Amino acid sequence: MSENDGKSKGILRWLGLGAAPSEDGEIEGVEVAQPAPEPVESEDPRERRRKQLLTDIGSFLLTHRLEVNSFTLAIAHDVLTGADPKLARLLEERVISRQPVSMHWLEDACRSTGRNDGVAQLDALMTKLEHSIQDFGQTTVAAKSAASDYNSALEQHVNELEQVSKAGVVITELANIARLMLDRTREIEKEMSRSEIQTRSLQRSLEEARRSAELDHLTGLPNRRAFEGVLERETAAAIEASEPMCVAICDIDHFKRVNDTHGHEAGDRVIRAVAQTLAKISNEHCHVARHGGEEFVVLFRGKTIEEAWQVLDEAREAMAERRLVNRATDIPFGRITFSGGIADVLSHTSPRDAMKAADDALYAAKAAGRNLIVKAGEQARAAA
């Protein structure tokens, strides 16, 4: 085998493709999907290609420990099929340099290539719709108010015309016309009132839809989308108030083992248990969200990195001390723990850079044996 062939196969293994797993299903310490069985000879070639693509997409996501969602599935599909060559080149450079392919890196890479983000587009459309509804509501209120003022003035003139005893036929006709106009404007005012009620109802529905879109329905915590908005607002507030702020990323240890042993429903209960543990430390200055899969993020405003680390480490210990049992089978889950990385937001050039630093510290915690919270910048100490 030539050196180029070895390099090419090494890249494929790092991508999660074309590698033969070991007996425990791992490649270089990374869990990957078992290869699909060979298709029978009579199988349609197109069906065979579809199955192979699905296998490759699954291997890609598992190898890089990426959340399975519409964003990552679209990325994997477009990279593996060649639909996004720019992103494929960036990914190839990334894996050749043996650096992790994380969600944060994928988001940055997509921005750099100008790739459209469907979630961002949806958010922009919802915001535009909110503004349109608000403008329409204000117009409706103004029109209703104008119609009401016009009605009052017109009614006064009609009464004055009707009080003229010797007005003659012309004045009488004018009074009749004015009365018809008054009746019509009253109908318009009622229609405006109905429109105002409908507008308010539509605004409430849109607000409920936005809240639902920002809620993780498994844990009841805010989701990644909601957290990004909180991170932006809280960073601006912390800078203005000259307060410290830290961000942490946490990940459940050996979560795949839980799913493989006990099933996905039991895995969901483990995710909820960790979410409940982290939710106990949340308050108006500590925001907890599910970032996706078995990953959580925590934002600490008003705490130094030492203080934030202490709070998060106590939550880690509390989770590690719990002994969970699979209620469906009465089989213990064993010790459920999580690892984390934490970074000082204001010591980095942007909140996104701080998130990357926390993510790197999380990787260091995993490499150091898990069930550990590592502060950004102390990865070497954790490894020692």
Side-chain angles (χ1 to χ4, degrees), residues 233-280:
R233 291 193 300 272
E234 289 294 301
T235 300
I239 292 173
E240 184 178 356
S242 299
E243 294 179 340
M245 193 169 78
C246 301
V247 65
I249 301 179
C250 304
D251 184 90
I252 302 174
D253 297 325
H254 299 297
F255 183 71
K256 184 177 184 297
R257 184 184 301 168
V258 174
N259 276 340
D260 290 346
T261 304
H262 299 276
H264 289 279
E265 288 187 7
D268 287 347
R269 289 197 289 274
V270 168
I271 289 175
R272 283 195 292 266
V274 174
Q276 290 165 4
T277 298
L278 290 173
K280 290 178 181 177

Side-chain angles (χ1 to χ4, degrees), residues 265-373:
E265 288 187 7
D268 287 347
R269 289 197 289 274
V270 168
I271 289 175
R272 283 195 292 266
V274 174
Q276 290 165 4
T277 298
L278 290 173
K280 290 178 181 177
I281 67 174
S282 66
N283 54 44
E284 60 181 342
H285 293 303
C286 177
H287 304 276
V288 179
R290 186 183 179 199
H291 215 221
E294 66 270 27
E295 192 173 85
F296 300 86
V297 282
V298 187
L299 184 65
F300 298 92
R301 180 178 159 195
K303 290 188 181 297
T304 65
I305 193 167
E306 291 292 340
E307 293 169 336
W309 179 90
Q310 184 65 40
V311 172
L312 189 58
D313 197 57
E314 288 175 359
R316 177 198 59 78
E317 287 184 353
M319 187 66 232
E321 289 173 359
R322 297 181 63 179
R323 294 297 180 264
L324 303 179
V325 175
N326 186 347
R327 290 175 296 181
T329 61
D330 290 330
I331 299 175
F333 284 112
R335 195 182 190 200
I336 299 297
T337 63
F338 66 82
S339 301
I342 188 166
D344 182 343
V345 175
L346 302 187
S347 68
H348 292 80
T349 56
S350 70
R352 183 164 294 279
D353 287 340
M355 290 283 289
K356 183 181 183 305
D359 199 38
D360 291 341
L362 169 62
Y363 272 91
K366 294 284 188 181
R370 298 178 170 84
N371 191 24
L372 183 69
I373 308 297

